Amino acid sequence: MKKVVLIVSLAALTLSSCGAKKKIADLEQKNKECLDLLNSTTVKLNLCLSEKEALNQQNDYLKKNNSDLINNVGNMTTLTHQGAQNIEKALETIKEKDLKISRMQDALTKKDSVTLALVTSLKSSVGISDPDINVNVEKGVVFISIADKLLFKSGSYVVSDRAKEVLAKVAKVINDKPDFECMVEGHTDNIPYTGNAILLDNWDLSVKRSTAIIRVLTKDLKVNPAQLIAAGRSEFIPLVDNNTADNRAINRRTRIVVLPKIDQFYDMIEKEMKKQQ
C-alpha cells in the first residue's frame, strides 16, 4: 500500500513539474513575441522620424524658394497660389507624422512607466537594503530574487518564519496589482538532493519550494491564487559557478517573476501600428 501511495505522489509531482515547465515555456514565448513587436515598432518609429526630417527639409526649401521670389520681385504678390498650397500640404504631412510618432511613443512609454513604477514600489516595500533580496528588471520583466537562507533550511522545503515577514511585503505589492501575474521559481545548487524518499532530485526540491511559498502567499497572505504560477528550475540556471560553498549559496534562491499581463501591452502596441497602415 505504501508503494502505491509513493508511486502516485511521484506521478503527481512529475505532472505538476511538466505543467509548470509548459507554462514557463508559454510565458517565455509570449514575452519573446512582445519584445519582437516592440523592436519592430522601434524600427517604424525611427523610419517616421527620418521621414519627418526629410519633410522638414522640403518645407525649408519651399520657404526659401518663396522668399527668393519675394526678394526678386519685391512684392508679396509674387508668392504664387501653388507655392502657398505646397507649403500648406507639407505642414499637414508633418503634423500627421508627428501624431503617428506620438502614438507609438505613448505606447512604449506606458510599458516603461508601468515597469518603473512596479520596481519603485517593490524596492520601497520589500526592503532592498537587504543584500539577500534583489529587485531588478531584465527585458521589461521585474524579478525579485530571495536567498534561500531567508526562506528554508538546507535541503528543506518548509518556509521559515523570517521568510513569511519578507513574503508579506511581496504579497502586499501583488495584492495592490490584481492585473499582474507572478511566477515563483525555485532554484537549487548542483549538489544532488539526498533528503527524504518523497523527492527524487533537485527538480523535485525546486518545485516543492515554489509550491510551499505559494501556499504561504495564498493561505496566509490572501494572494489571489489565479495570479500565481509554480515553477522549479533545479540547478540549471546558476548565477555563478557552483565551485565554492559561497557560490552555491548564491545559486540557491527563489525568484519571483512579476509579469504585467503581456497581452495588454501586445494589444496596445498592435492597435497603434494598425493606425499607421
Side-chain angles (χ1 to χ4, degrees):
M1 182 62 181
K2 290 183 178 179
K3 287 186 176 181
V4 172
V5 173
L6 179 58
I7 291 171
V8 171
S9 298
L10 290 175
L13 280 172
T14 302
L15 290 173
S16 175
S17 179
C18 291
K21 286 189 282 185
K22 183 177 185 304
K23 183 67 175 180
I24 293 169
D26 291 341
L27 285 171
E28 289 177 343
Q29 178 62 30
K30 272 195 170 184
N31 192 41
K32 181 179 181 301
E33 290 175 1
C34 189
L35 288 173
D36 290 342
L37 185 58
L38 286 173
N39 290 335
S40 173
T41 303
T42 302
V43 170
K44 286 200 171 188
L45 175 59
N46 290 334
L47 179 60
C48 285
L49 290 172
S50 298
E51 291 177 356
K52 177 185 175 182
E53 180 61 28
L55 287 168
N56 280 330
Q57 291 176 359
Q58 180 185 353
N59 188 38
D60 290 342
Y61 171 78
L62 289 170
K63 286 182 178 179
K64 185 178 183 304
N65 210 21
N66 283 318
S67 178
D68 289 341
L69 288 171
I70 293 170
N71 291 335
N72 288 336
V73 178
N75 195 314
M76 282 296 292
T77 57
T78 59
L79 180 60
T80 66
H81 179 67
Q82 185 61 44
Q85 285 184 329
N86 287 342
I87 293 175
E88 186 177 353
K89 288 180 180 178
L91 290 173
E92 286 298 322
T93 303
I94 291 173
K95 287 180 181 178
E96 290 177 4
K97 291 294 180 184
D98 279 341
L99 181 59
K100 291 177 182 178
I101 290 169
S102 178
R103 285 173 176 169
M104 284 192 293
Q105 288 176 331
D106 285 346
L108 295 172
T109 300
K110 284 178 184 176
K111 179 185 180 301
D112 292 339
S113 296
V114 170
T115 300
L116 178 61
L118 178 59
V119 171
T120 302
S121 175
L122 286 170
K123 286 186 175 182
S124 61
S125 299
V126 175
I128 191 60
S129 59
D130 193 323
D132 295 315
I133 303 173
N134 184 38
V135 179
N136 65 308
V137 179
E138 297 175 17
K139 297 180 179 179
V141 179
V142 180
F143 298 93
I144 309 170
S145 186
I146 308 173
D148 259 18
K149 66 182 180 181
L150 295 182
L151 303 175
F152 308 101
K153 293 180 180 179
S154 178
S156 170
Y157 51 84
V158 177
V159 180
S160 69
D161 291 335
R162 185 183 178 190
K164 292 177 181 179
E165 295 177 9
V166 175
L167 293 175
K169 297 176 182 178
V170 175
K172 183 179 184 304
V173 176
I174 299 173
N175 287 334
D176 287 343
K177 295 179 172 54
D179 291 334
F180 285 45
E181 292 181 339
C182 294
M183 181 164 57
V184 181
E185 292 181 348
H187 294 258
T188 69
D189 58 27
N190 66 341
I191 302 298
Y193 178 74
T194 57
N196 60 57
I198 296 177
L199 305 182
L200 297 181
D201 51 25
N202 283 335
W203 277 113
D204 282 354
L205 178 60
S206 63
V207 173
K208 195 67 175 174
R209 285 180 167 178
S210 171
T211 55
I213 289 175
I214 284 179
R215 288 190 186 94
V216 172
L217 290 172
T218 55
K219 293 183 178 180
D220 298 344
L221 302 172
K222 309 305 179 186
V223 173
N224 180 6
Q227 290 181 254
L228 300 176
I229 305 162
R233 308 305 293 269
S234 188
E235 64 201 60
F236 300 106
I237 309 181
L239 296 175
V240 293
D241 291 334
N242 283 293
N243 52 6
T244 67
D246 288 341
N247 281 1
R248 286 192 291 272
I250 292 172
N251 290 329
R252 294 191 302 271
R253 66 199 188 279
T254 295
R255 190 170 73 160
I256 299 176
V257 186
V258 185
L259 296 166
K261 293 290 181 64
I262 295 176
D263 289 345
Q264 294 176 357
F265 292 118
Y266 186 93
D267 292 341
M268 178 175 61
I269 295 171
E270 186 178 38
K271 287 176 182 176
E272 295 304 330
M273 290 181 68
K274 285 181 178 178
K275 290 177 181 178
Q276 300 173 56
Q277 294 176 354

